[in-house]
Amino acid sequence: MNVVISKDTREMGELAASKAGELIKQAVAERGSANIVVATGASQFETLAALIAQKDIPWEQVTGFHLDEYIGISTDHPASFCKYLSERFVSKVPLKAFHFIDGMAKQVADECSRLSDLITAHPIDVALIGIGENGHLAFNDPPADFDTEVPYLVVSLDEACRRQQLGEGWFSTFEEIPTQAISMSVRQILKSNAIVCSVPDERKADATAKVIEGPITQDVPASILQSHLATTIFLDPPAASKLSESMSATR
Ligand SMILES: N[C@@H]1[C@@H](O)[C@H](O)[C@@H](COP(=O)(O)O)O[C@@H]1O
């Protein structure tokens, strides 16, 4: 795992997008196509804006996968990750395909199977992800399942995760926030050839320090990224503010 501390949030997004763009272009040059995973949330604002601004990515050869989605939130709800991805990414670049998670599916088990089959047929070149204030990876809250081989699964959201969504302003009341989601599993995320993790904001400083410098534990799900050699975590200075001095010196 590599760590890059940028000078501000904008630069964090530019550096993360530049890394992701290089990896996408490399995959297309080598294989003729690329498969990517795209996350949502406040963490991805700058990264996705910088990614869609890159002019030399052959998007027609790129297939995208959706990292996680609430169960029971329609696509016109302000918190819908489908809405977020449509508006900020899918409508902005001419992708070969994008596989959304249907959080309104009547049979969520069938939806997980459909997505699992699709992603198994599309090995991922690069996953763009974030981490939660509670250290979650996608919607795998602590203690996360590090063992399941299932690519997509139904997960329960813990209170800290749901409070984060309220704090970011995606919902107007705590009660409105779903208690379940469909998420890519931890093992599926780790199968990505490369991982580009964007982490801005002081709200993430505690989780960032645990993820990067603490032990690998299911209680801090994103700490498993330490075991993935082709992961780069891009931080802004507030997110990096609780790292040890030696780590901060890598800036
Ligand atoms: N489940 C989403 C993830 O897709 C995201 O990567 C992560 C970080 O959240 P945020 O970017 O909102 O800070 O947790 C969110 O709740």
Side-chain angles (χ1 to χ4, degrees):
M1 183 176 73
N2 308 296
V3 179
V4 175
I5 303 173
S6 53
K7 72 174 187 320
D8 56 30
T9 314
R10 186 187 168 116
E11 187 188 71
M12 177 215 71
E14 287 169 353
L15 294 174
S18 168
K19 176 83 179 176
E22 288 307 317
L23 292 162
I24 293 168
K25 286 184 278 185
Q26 190 184 328
V28 172
E30 286 171 5
R31 278 205 340 272
S33 64
N35 302 315
I36 68 172
V37 171
V38 191
T40 53
S43 314
Q44 307 301 317
F45 287 159
E46 289 78 11
T47 302
L48 289 182
L51 190 62
I52 62 172
Q54 285 185 48
K55 298 291 170 226
D56 57 348
I57 297 180
W59 290 111
E60 290 86 352
Q61 322 302 333
V62 178
T63 297
F65 283 85
H66 184 172
L67 183 69
D68 52 6
E69 181 59 280
Y70 298 105
I71 291 177
I73 290 286
S74 64
T75 55
D76 58 358
H77 189 287
S80 161
F81 291 163
C82 284
K83 176 178 162 67
Y84 176 116
L85 287 171
S86 298
E87 292 177 354
R88 293 175 184 272
F89 184 61
V90 180
S91 65
K92 304 289 188 187
V93 288
L95 294 166
K96 183 176 176 184
F98 192 88
H99 299 294
F100 287 102
I101 299 171
D102 179 4
M104 297 295 280
K106 288 206 167 57
Q107 303 294 337
V108 286
D110 291 349
E111 178 63 359
C112 290
S113 299
R114 181 186 74 84
L115 293 160
S116 294
D117 290 347
L118 274 168
I119 203 165
T120 300
H122 292 81
I124 298 300
D125 297 293
V126 52
L128 292 132
I129 62 168
I131 63 171
E133 286 173 46
N134 63 351
H136 74 195
L137 196 53
F139 261 146
N140 300 285
D141 283 335
D145 186 340
F146 281 179
D147 299 320
T148 184
E149 296 281 352
V150 178
Y152 281 92
L153 72 168
V154 174
V155 293
S156 295
L157 304 181
D158 73 10
E159 182 168 338
C161 170
R162 294 171 68 226
R163 293 246 171 251
Q164 176 188 322
Q165 313 308 323
L166 189 65
E168 287 187 7
W170 303 105
F171 294 91
S172 38
T173 66
F174 182 69
E175 291 65 36
E176 192 194 347
I177 306 170
T179 55
Q180 286 195 307
I182 295 175
S183 179
M184 194 174 288
S185 68
V186 172
R187 285 187 78 104
Q188 177 61 42
I189 293 168
L190 295 179
K191 281 182 187 165
S192 310
N193 277 343
I195 296 175
V196 171
C197 185
S198 300
V199 189
D201 207 329
E202 203 274 333
R203 291 183 297 112
K204 303 289 176 72
D206 283 326
T208 299
K210 288 181 192 160
V211 165
I212 295 174
E213 299 189 284
I216 296 178
T217 164
Q218 292 164 285
D219 295 331
V220 183
S223 63
I224 194 97
L225 294 175
Q226 292 177 27
S227 69
H228 190 283
L229 297 179
T231 289
T232 308
I233 300 193
F234 293 89
L235 304 170
D236 70 359
S241 61
K242 294 193 177 166
L243 291 177
S244 65
E245 274 183 31
S246 58
M247 183 60 76
S248 302
T250 62
R251 183 184 307 241

